[in-house]
């Protein structure tokens, strides 16, 4: 967990979707689910969220008990990538 926290300190800016997803992943791995939800919901970014972003957001939503929103997000991701096993 210390490694994730250290990485989070360095990930202050997310210039692309891969970095954004990495930050969401680190937040989830350190059980900072509320923070992950807030990041997804409030971050002003210059790119569109991809299927992986939505999958990670759904995991965070489930962890904080927002089950219906998690299901809606997974359904949206599944519509984008119906054959992707990660969804």
């Amino acid at each position: 967990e210390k490694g994730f926290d250290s990485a989070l300190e360095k990930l202050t800016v997310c210039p692309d979707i891969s970095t954004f997803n990495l930050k969401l992943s680190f937040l989830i791995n350190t059980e900072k689910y509320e923070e992950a939800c807030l990041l997804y919901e409030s971050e002003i970014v210059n790119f569109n969220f991809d299927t992986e972003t939505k999958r990670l957001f759904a995991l965070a939503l489930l962890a904080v008990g927002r089950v219906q929103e998690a299901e809606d997000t997974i359904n949206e991701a599944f519509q984008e990538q119906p054959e992707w096993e990660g969804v």
Side-chain angles (χ1 to χ4, degrees):
E1 186 172 312
K2 188 174 183 179
F4 289 122
D5 285 327
S6 177
L8 279 169
E9 289 176 16
K10 295 175 180 156
L11 275 176
T12 56
V13 176
C14 297
D16 56 43
I17 193 66
S18 295
T19 308
F20 188 85
N21 289 346
L22 187 62
K23 186 169 185 173
L24 279 177
S25 176
F26 287 169
L27 289 168
I28 290 166
N29 278 294
T30 55
E31 300 181 1
K32 296 176 182 171
Y33 308 116
E34 285 286 347
E35 195 174 333
C37 290
L38 289 171
L39 177 67
Y40 181 95
E41 295 171 330
S42 66
E43 185 75 16
I44 298 172
V45 293
N46 295 323
F47 45 81
N48 294 322
F49 295 141
D50 63 9
T51 306
E52 175 65 2
T53 314
K54 293 172 186 172
R55 183 188 74 82
L56 290 167
F57 179 50
L59 288 172
L61 287 169
L62 279 174
V64 297
R66 294 165 58 184
V67 177
Q68 185 60 55
E69 289 174 83
E71 287 179 8
D72 293 344
T73 303
I74 284 295
N75 286 334
E76 186 179 332
F78 186 73
Q79 287 176 359
E80 291 174 7
Q81 298 273 337
E83 296 160 11
W84 189 37
E85 293 179 19
V87 178

